[in-house]
Amino acid sequence: MKFGVHFLLPCGTGQAPSARYRDALAQGRLAEELGFESVWPAEQHTVPTQSVLSCPTVFLAALAARTESIRLGTAIVQLPLFHPLRVAEEICTLDVISGGRAELGVGRGTHPAHYAGFGADLAESRERLEEGLDYLRAALPGRPFDFHGRHYTAEGTQVVPEPVQPGGPAVRLAANSVDSFRAAGRAGMPVLTAIHINPPAVLAGHLDAYHAARAEAGHPAAAPDDITVLAPTFTAEREEEVVRLMGPAVDHYAALMRGNLTTIMRRSGDPDGFFTRLLSGLDRLDLGSMRTEQAVFGTPEACAGTLASLAERLGTGRFLAWFDFVGTTPAADVERSMRLFAAEVAPRLAERSRTLASGG
């Protein structure tokens, strides 16, 4: 299994954006030193308590200058908000700057405030996402291409600079609803998903739909590297430290999510009931319930056991650890957790993989 680090930068009372970025860039550099395979910041807009990380490719360009080998992925760019040519240009520029380390995670995004900020129509988001993905497939190799869609057209257009990686950076689709998993399967695309949105029992069903859609469309069966799973993560030597730091973090997360979901439902409705289900789950959310199915919190032994179960149940080949969960954990404790994970959790998973491979 590959291990990456995820970043979202909520900025609350008493926090400065400059400090949040400074700490995140330091943690990204530390991730490379500790042997993590990749770093994946998320794009958010206009709501600082949710995140002040609005330009993930700019963040990753700064990190590229501080690192040498770690892969640099977006998790995610909200594709319907931008012209896909601009998205292609930014990720190819990052690929050139980093020497071929860029990966592109894209998704739809659902927060009305993000769409309102750009004057974009949320009702068109799924259609623009699907058309934008087709455009990216034509554009990312860096050769002149034509494209004719409802929203985007191109005649002999070429992305510059040409990417370092042959064919351009890999593209992954964020999937949280079963419709998104089916769409990714039909397109034969790898997926990014999160267990704090869909716990493993739900996610397993969505992945069944993804695998079925891939097969029906004639694509090869998904490899472990086609499934990337994200989760809030904290590793500590003692259970008492987990409770002390993650208890308040979970309470803060529940409050933020409750506000965000209420806003989304008030502005855009909830025709399929997805947000209503998420909101109802927040009423029962506490540290105990979250660490049971929606996070990887605990001692190294406990975290390794949770991850081994996830790998077996979901077939994932890459796990993204969200160490700086909701921004309430002091930077020193985040870094201590990263070091402990790298020293004691990842090796346990590697040993398990070797044992399985040898038939033991």
Side-chain angles (χ1 to χ4, degrees), residues 272-291:
D272 61 3
F274 178 68
F275 299 120
T276 299
R277 290 191 294 274
L278 290 181
L279 191 60
S280 65
L282 292 174
D283 294 335
R284 303 181 299 275
L285 188 67
D286 58 17
L287 176 59
S289 62
M290 186 162 193
R291 69 189 303 183

Side-chain angles (χ1 to χ4, degrees), residues 132-147:
L133 286 169
D134 290 338
Y135 190 107
L136 288 174
R137 291 189 193 96
L140 284 175
R143 298 182 295 272
F145 69 97
D146 298 335
F147 187 86

Side-chain angles (χ1 to χ4, degrees), residues 200-227:
V202 175
L203 193 52
H206 290 353
L207 284 168
D208 286 343
Y210 168 68
H211 294 304
R214 284 183 70 114
E216 290 169 6
H219 297 294
D225 193 54
D226 290 324
I227 302 169

